Amino acid sequence: MSTKIIMDTDPGIDDAAAITIAINHPAFDLDLITTVAGNVTVDKTTLNALKLTRFFNSAIPVAAGAAQPLIKPFEDAVRVHGVSGMPGYDFPTDLAQPLAETAVEALRDHIMQAEQPITLVPTGAYTNIALLFKTYPEVMPHIKEIVAMGGTLGQGNMTSAAEFNVFTDPHAAAIMYASGVPITMVGLDVTMKALLTPATMQQLPSLGRTGTMLHALFNHYQDGDQTGLPMHDVNTLFYLLHPEAFTTEAMWIDVQTEGPANGETVGDTRGAYHAGQTNATVCVDIDAPAFNAWFLKTIAAIG
């Protein structure tokens, strides 16, 4: 039986790879894509989601979400993902329209109407999730789990302490982690271990139109180095399908919302402040060769 998921996302190049897999993998039933401001502005993230659904001739609905974080001023990641968010490939231009309703309304409707609990997969800032929980708290018992890319127990990529998705809207992250919904944190310290190697990259153009499209995008991705490219957001889907490839620990995650540590996810690994309490399953290690093999196999199957 496939897992019914909703992706809340800010494509973005690694998001594009995650959406590609979510649309096409038979183990997923992708019910809805909601967009948020993050890597680029929300009008562009919405356009990019529509480009991907059109590329795969998919009827999965797309709903546009928050244009700004809850409180903090918006900062994009154009330096990493380019001005458009998905440069390097000429997508079709005859695109569908996003839903008339907002992302929060669409999330509520799809979650409440689903015949089974939904898994939320946020791979951008968590603004839409926070607004959903504050506006329609009745949805929370109908969510099976949240598997979120974001945060880190180690070095950040926006500040010394903060990872981009949480840094973008730390107040939203704090609301999500306080919600009581089961959360798995797939953080930067793990996704930076699961690099697509140069050997993996070289094989992509031979894997059909999907591999060719992703390879073109990856060539414009200003992240990683000569050792490989991080596919941060794809790790959420890899976790859902292959949790055995990850080492995890249950702990309490606090989110800092001010000062020099703004956006830091603090894992209470010693139980110093939340003894005996946990609010997240936190990924702390990953089988990187298994990730590369799975990624290639998955893209080859899409063709």
Side-chain angles (χ1 to χ4, degrees), residues 17 31 44 80 125 134 140-141 176-177 187 210 213-214 261 271 289 299:
D31 194 55
K44 292 178 180 177
V80 175
K134 288 298 186 182
M140 291 192 281
M176 189 181 82
Y177 275 97
T210 301
M213 179 267 288
L214 291 175
I299 300 306

Side-chain angles (χ1 to χ4, degrees), residues 76-153:
D76 63 30
V78 166
R79 69 192 183 284
V80 175
H81 296 269
V83 173
S84 73
M86 286 188 346
Y89 187 84
D90 291 329
F91 286 91
T93 56
D94 54 332
L95 306 180
Q97 293 296 310
L99 296 176
E101 59 183 348
T102 67
V104 169
E105 293 167 338
L107 284 163
R108 175 202 58 189
D109 291 348
H110 281 253
I111 291 168
M112 297 304 289
Q113 293 168 10
E115 295 179 357
Q116 64 188 76
I118 291 273
T119 296
L120 294 183
V121 185
T123 63
Y126 310 140
T127 314
N128 292 334
I129 308 298
L131 290 169
L132 174 70
F133 287 176
K134 288 298 186 182
T135 310
Y136 303 111
E138 64 271 18
V139 304
M140 291 192 281
H142 299 273
I143 297 170
K144 179 181 178 181
E145 62 178 328
I146 297 171
V147 178
M149 192 279 135
T152 180
L153 296 181

Side-chain angles (χ1 to χ4, degrees), residues 65-82:
Q68 297 284 337
L70 296 179
I71 297 173
K72 184 176 171 289
F74 174 58
E75 299 179 50
D76 63 30
V78 166
R79 69 192 183 284
V80 175
H81 296 269

Side-chain angles (χ1 to χ4, degrees), residues 49-246:
L50 292 167
K51 287 178 180 178
L52 290 163
T53 56
R54 173 64 183 86
F55 181 84
F56 293 111
N57 292 314
S58 167
I60 294 165
V62 174
Q68 297 284 337
L70 296 179
I71 297 173
K72 184 176 171 289
F74 174 58
E75 299 179 50
D76 63 30
V78 166
R79 69 192 183 284
V80 175
H81 296 269
V83 173
S84 73
M86 286 188 346
Y89 187 84
D90 291 329
F91 286 91
T93 56
D94 54 332
L95 306 180
Q97 293 296 310
L99 296 176
E101 59 183 348
T102 67
V104 169
E105 293 167 338
L107 284 163
R108 175 202 58 189
D109 291 348
H110 281 253
I111 291 168
M112 297 304 289
Q113 293 168 10
E115 295 179 357
Q116 64 188 76
I118 291 273
T119 296
L120 294 183
V121 185
T123 63
Y126 310 140
T127 314
N128 292 334
I129 308 298
L131 290 169
L132 174 70
F133 287 176
K134 288 298 186 182
T135 310
Y136 303 111
E138 64 271 18
V139 304
M140 291 192 281
H142 299 273
I143 297 170
K144 179 181 178 181
E145 62 178 328
I146 297 171
V147 178
M149 192 279 135
T152 180
L153 296 181
Q155 184 80 17
N157 62 352
M158 287 300 289
T159 68
S160 59
E163 175 276 332
F164 177 77
N165 285 349
V166 177
F167 180 83
T168 300
D169 196 342
H171 299 89
I175 289 169
M176 189 181 82
Y177 275 97
S179 68
V181 175
I183 297 172
T184 296
M185 175 176 131
V186 186
L188 185 72
D189 42 344
V190 168
T191 64
M192 287 304 295
K193 295 179 180 179
L195 302 178
L196 287 190
T197 65
T200 296
M201 281 282 292
Q202 288 172 8
Q203 293 184 58
L204 287 174
S206 67
L207 302 181
R209 65 191 290 268
T210 301
T212 299
M213 179 267 288
L214 291 175
H215 187 264
L217 297 183
F218 294 167
N219 280 331
H220 289 76
Y221 188 29
Q222 301 301 313
D223 202 355
D225 54 30
Q226 67 275 10
T227 62
L229 292 180
M231 288 291 112
H232 307 290
D233 299 338
V234 180
N235 283 264
T236 57
L237 303 179
F238 186 51
Y239 174 83
L240 281 167
L241 295 182
H242 295 285
E244 73 281 358
F246 292 77

Side-chain angles (χ1 to χ4, degrees), residues 153 183 247-253 267-271 274 276-284:
L153 296 181
I183 297 172
T247 304
T248 62
E249 295 180 16
M251 67 182 74
W252 190 278
I253 294 291
D268 190 12
T269 56
R270 299 180 64 176
H274 304 277
Q277 295 180 290
T278 64
N279 67 350
T281 299
V282 180
C283 296
V284 296

